[in-house]
Amino acid sequence: MEKSALQIARAAYQPKLPKALQGPVKVKEGAATQSIGNQAEIKALFPNTYGMPVVEFVPAESENQEAINVGIILSGGQAPGGHNVISGLYDGVKSLNRNSKLYGFLMGPGGLVDHKYVEFTDEFIDEYRNTGGFDIIGSGRTKLEKEAQFESGIQILRQLGIKALVIIGGDDSNTNACVLAEYYAAKQYGVQVIGCPKTIDGDLKNEQIETSFGFDTACKTYSELIGNIQRDCNSARKYWHFIKVMGRSASHIALECALQCQPNICLVSEEVEQKQMSLDDVVEYIAQAVCQRAADGNNFGTVVIPEGLIEFIPAIKVLIRQLNEVLTDPATGEPREFKSADEQIRFVLDNITAENRAVLESLPADVKRQLCLDRDPHGNVQVSLIETEKLLSAMVAKKLAQWKQEGKYTGKFSAQHHFFGYEGRCAAPSNYDADYCYSLGYNASRLISNGKTGYMSVIRNTTAPAAEWIAGGVPITMMMNIERRNGADKPVIRKALVELDGAPFKYFASKRDEWARQTCYVYPGPIQYFGPTEVCDQCTKTLALEQGK
Ligand code: FBP
């Protein structure tokens, strides 16, 4: 494979490890844990993996150095740093014993079920150190949740002598990792399952998990692009740029980009929901800012829109909840099958309430179609396909035209549209993500050698220099509660949405009026891999504010 000069230099980068993982370790156990909600139900569903203590690794004289075979799976959307989790795990198991083996299941959880795998070697791993993407083994969104899949999995695990499986994924995949850990423990199959917190969306975090990996690099990549657009915007002074950024549900990415770039407007879905705003309220809010800036002679600006916005507008949220329910077959829990798109739309219209039908009919035809038709494998509406940036700018243009007629607005409005998602998911990991991911993977090897199952690999204190990071594990059941999903109550890891009383949002809210009226753009520039630590090793503004840094 031909490589750029940066790739060659980057391949030689040695990610940093917490001091505690730089030699032999032993486990320091905390108190017994309980789930964040529905304790009795979760305990009954996970009798073998409920209540275990949080663990931390501390230096020891020596440690268990038995050779061990481990399998790894990449699950769900790509996130920068996945390759470093794998290389960290590889180095971790090899540091215990050179005869340890690491296998990668191909194209996501389906690789385990279908027995498709590769064995990693030094040469293979070296090709992918510190690179972005999940192409080392590929990823997929197959849900690992049925007994038949678990049983198929155990066959190949036994065949390869695999004693532990590491599943790298978001909240859904880690929930399923816990279900699998419980199943294998109940059956006494002797296979441990460890989860690893991944998603650019940043919504897999809690008291124990500071951030999901990939969030840092993806936000820095989008912020570079938004900064570039803002510089262009401030040079030509003739466009309003409507920029949608990924984040299926939570608005962490949009908020972080706003903290980094100071755009004129950033919408935060969680606030839209809390304030019970309608689509028209959102449009009015943007149009007013456009109007105010026009009064100052500034017919340009930037609007950052979180991908999940539409789902947080209360009336649309109710509609989507019912769409998810009616499009799921109650007998199988799987998405219903239809012969044609028209049949599916008819079925939807016939099976939703009159209120929801009215909301659906009020939306532009293409949005209505997307809501009715497009589903991800989890059966959810695919919000990433809804062009909210175009929808909003068209509605703002209409409102401004009306205000012009009424003599309330005299400016010019011309819009450009952007959607940043895939541009950032496979970026070469920042130093933060490269170090964090390598540590998560290496740490997983120690959870395994210490016999843990049903735990998530956790690295904390990451706003401090890497040497001071704290390594350990958190029982996955601790993060769970019962939620309604596609018409059924299910144990799931609670998704972390933007907290409106949290420091990142409060800081943004204290600044946004000034940013809306004036031109306060910041141009963060590209991620730097080599250079002074204040340029290369900074964490996200979200994490720094959360930790009072
Ligand atoms: P994960 O939570 O699985 O990491 O994926 C998140 C995400 O990148 C969202 O931001 C986005 O809505 C979605 O994946 C897009 O999914 P796909 O890659 O299937 O198009």
Side-chain angles (χ1 to χ4, degrees), residues 262-502:
Q262 304 186 180
N264 298 104
I265 294 172
C266 172
L267 301 170
V268 173
S269 308
E270 291 82 345
E271 185 186 30
V272 167
E273 180 175 38
Q274 194 221 36
K275 291 187 169 166
Q276 298 275 303
M277 290 170 83
S278 65
L279 191 53
D280 194 55
D281 293 336
V282 174
V283 170
E284 174 114 10
Y285 171 68
I286 302 171
Q288 256 163 12
V290 173
C291 215
Q292 280 189 332
R293 280 179 64 79
D296 300 339
N298 295 323
N299 288 300
F300 65 94
T302 48
V303 184
V304 174
I305 304 158
E307 183 187 13
L309 176 76
I310 205 90
E311 234 180 323
F312 282 77
I313 293 173
I316 300 179
K317 185 172 193 160
V318 173
L319 165 68
I320 289 177
R321 195 175 304 140
Q322 194 177 35
L323 289 177
N324 284 338
E325 296 224 12
V326 301
L327 287 168
T328 303
D329 183 341
T332 60
E334 294 293 322
R336 279 183 199 273
E337 301 283 341
F338 295 92
K339 287 200 198 76
S340 67
D342 285 345
E343 188 197 1
Q344 184 160 345
I345 293 173
R346 252 195 326 277
F347 179 86
V348 167
L349 292 174
D350 289 348
N351 284 280
I352 58 176
T353 61
E355 292 80 29
N356 280 338
R357 210 160 32 241
V359 174
L360 193 60
E361 298 292 6
S362 74
L363 296 169
D366 52 340
V367 177
K368 178 179 153 190
R369 218 180 144 73
Q370 279 165 347
L371 283 174
C372 290
L373 295 180
D374 301 317
R375 288 281 169 284
D376 70 13
H378 296 270
N380 300 316
V381 167
Q382 273 190 290
V383 279
S384 61
L385 298 181
I386 297 174
E387 294 182 309
T388 340
E389 65 285 20
K390 292 189 183 157
L391 173 70
L392 287 176
S393 91
M395 292 178 82
V396 167
K398 206 165 152 197
K399 191 158 288 275
L400 291 171
Q402 185 195 325
W403 287 353
K404 201 166 238 178
Q405 273 191 347
E406 295 165 6
K408 293 185 198 159
Y409 165 73
T410 51
K412 288 191 203 118
F413 178 76
S414 180
Q416 295 287 347
H417 307 103
H418 316 266
F419 171 37
F420 297 145
Y422 302 100
E423 291 80 351
R425 293 201 313 184
C426 285
S430 61
N431 284 351
Y432 178 91
D433 270 329
D435 296 345
Y436 181 49
C437 291
Y438 186 80
S439 299
L440 283 170
Y442 200 97
N443 184 57
S445 75
R446 278 8 188 210
L447 287 168
I448 294 165
S449 64
N450 282 279
K452 302 297 171 198
T453 189
Y455 275 78
M456 208 180 290
S457 174
V458 169
I459 300 290
R460 292 187 296 119
N461 199 31
T462 63
T463 51
E468 294 163 34
W469 292 2
I470 298 166
V474 177
I476 301 177
T477 51
M478 190 182 174
M479 305 164 202
M480 287 185 163
N481 65 168
I482 303 281
E483 288 176 23
R484 194 135 185 96
R485 294 283 168 92
N486 302 336
D489 287 337
K490 293 209 167 139
V492 292
I493 294 175
R494 188 184 284 167
K495 224 184 233 314
L497 300 179
V498 169
E499 287 177 10
L500 302 182
D501 56 358

Side-chain angles (χ1 to χ4, degrees), residues 75-78 141 170 198-201 246-248 307 382-384 422 425:
S75 179
Q78 284 69 255
R141 290 197 184 274
K198 169 235 71 170
T199 174
I200 61 160
D201 293 2
M246 258 190 185
R248 214 200 79 78
E307 183 187 13
Q382 273 190 290
V383 279
S384 61
Y422 302 100
R425 293 201 313 184

Side-chain angles (χ1 to χ4, degrees), residues 158 231 263 320 523:
R158 282 193 179 130
R231 190 79 94 171
I320 289 177
Y523 314 112

Side-chain angles (χ1 to χ4, degrees), residues 156-187:
I156 187 68
L157 296 174
R158 282 193 179 130
Q159 197 179 308
L160 298 172
I162 290 177
K163 288 278 177 278
L165 194 58
V166 176
I167 299 182
I168 301 176
D171 52 339
D172 277 338
S173 307
N174 275 287
T175 294
N176 292 341
C178 193
V179 173
L180 185 64
E182 176 64 33
Y183 182 87
Y184 285 167
K187 294 266 177 184

Side-chain angles (χ1 to χ4, degrees), residues 128-140:
Y128 290 91
R129 290 182 190 272
N130 308 310
T131 58
F134 278 6
D135 47 318
I136 188 169
I137 47 174
S139 185

